Amino acid sequence: MAFVFIAFAAMLFIFFLLLVPVLYSIQAVGSLFVYPKQLKTMFGNKILRRNHALEHATIAVMMEREPGRKLNGFSNDDGFYVQGVRNLEEVDSAAREAAGRLQNGEKGLAIHRNCGTTIVAANLLAAVAFIGVIATGLLMGMSLGLNFYLLIVAGMLASLLLRVPLSLFLQRFVTTQHDLSNAEVGWVEPAKPNELRAGIVGMLLASSTAQVRVFHTDPDAVEIIRDDGAAVR
């Protein structure tokens, strides 16, 4: 009886593994309705692109100082957040060094291999590959057999192999702006739990998260009101 149960479980597991490429590709197609619009919006928001670049550079500086450290971040129009920090001073110091190095021409600091853009790139590539396989199959009259399945698997693997190069390209030309001539680090403050996630999870994340406020001198820059009531851009 135990052998039959194990065999049945193994068959289900194998069946699930066989379905993974198809399910992955199908969900990736859904990203075509979301990610291109997000990329277009980000490309048109130079304030957010600068903040994103400074976020990457700040994390890069912190990891230079302590290799192997686990840090995450995300950006918005007000600045950016760094998760996994020990104190505000280390973030403030790293952010100011990062801004200075970007202003001095170290463009590479604005690009990070582990950016969330890599997930976007993988999904877009998988979606395009899957649609290409479907179109090819229809044109060639292919049946839903082994060859069709192998093409889907090949498309999924290709998307995983090419996701980083595409991510680096998108970061360089779409999601970051290394020119910080009109940007300056304002101040660093503890993140508020409700800005991260609701409930206990937000409180736990906030305990190791710092928010870096960035202000910009562009006419269309976002105005930030500090706790003391002063307005900066």
Side-chain angles (χ1 to χ4, degrees):
M1 185 67 180
F3 174 78
V4 173
F5 176 78
I6 294 173
F8 180 72
M11 289 178 62
L12 286 178
F13 180 71
I14 293 172
F15 180 71
F16 174 76
L17 287 180
L18 292 174
L19 278 180
V20 166
V22 178
L23 296 175
Y24 174 79
S25 300
I26 291 175
Q27 69 82 28
V29 172
S31 69
L32 293 177
F33 298 95
V34 179
Y35 289 146
K37 183 178 179 180
Q38 290 180 346
L39 290 172
K40 180 181 178 181
T41 299
M42 195 162 190
F43 179 73
N45 187 340
K46 60 184 177 183
I47 302 299
L48 180 56
R49 291 174 65 195
R50 286 188 200 139
N51 291 345
H52 192 200
L54 187 52
E55 171 214 322
H56 284 177
T58 299
I59 290 176
V61 169
M62 293 178 72
M63 293 182 69
E64 284 178 358
R65 295 176 178 178
E66 191 174 339
R69 190 169 178 182
K70 303 298 182 183
L71 297 166
N72 296 303
F74 61 93
S75 307
N76 57 21
D77 287 337
D78 294 338
F80 61 92
Y81 294 81
V82 181
Q83 297 176 325
V85 306
R86 299 192 183 99
N87 54 69
L88 300 182
E89 289 72 24
E90 66 171 350
V91 180
D92 185 90
S93 172
R96 296 185 189 283
E97 178 182 332
R101 290 169 63 176
L102 283 174
Q103 291 167 348
N104 287 329
E106 288 192 49
K107 302 178 183 180
L109 284 177
I111 310 299
H112 201 290
R113 292 176 62 88
N114 294 328
C115 175
T117 307
T118 303
I119 298 175
V120 174
N123 277 273
L124 292 176
L125 287 169
V128 171
F130 185 70
I131 292 174
V133 169
I134 297 296
T136 301
L138 292 175
L139 290 173
M140 299 180 62
M142 295 173 58
S143 61
L144 298 176
L146 179 61
N147 290 338
F148 198 85
Y149 175 77
L150 291 177
L151 284 175
I152 293 176
V153 173
M156 183 192 75
L157 294 176
S159 72
L160 295 177
L161 289 172
L162 298 175
R163 72 189 190 282
V164 172
L166 178 59
S167 172
L168 299 180
F169 175 85
L170 290 175
Q171 288 180 61
R172 185 172 298 277
F173 297 104
V174 179
T175 67
T176 68
Q177 170 56 266
H178 64 269
D179 182 6
L180 298 186
S181 56
N182 291 317
E184 184 178 340
V185 175
W187 66 92
V188 180
E189 61 189 6
K192 298 178 178 61
N194 61 346
E195 295 174 338
L196 303 175
R197 197 172 296 179
I200 297 177
V201 175
M203 294 178 63
L204 293 174
L205 289 174
S207 64
S208 62
T209 303
Q211 181 178 15
V212 181
R213 298 283 189 167
V214 182
F215 56 90
H216 304 259
T217 58
D218 307 67
D220 58 345
V222 177
E223 187 175 74
I224 304 173
I225 306 299
R226 293 193 319 205
D227 291 338
D228 60 6
V232 296
R233 300 183 77 82

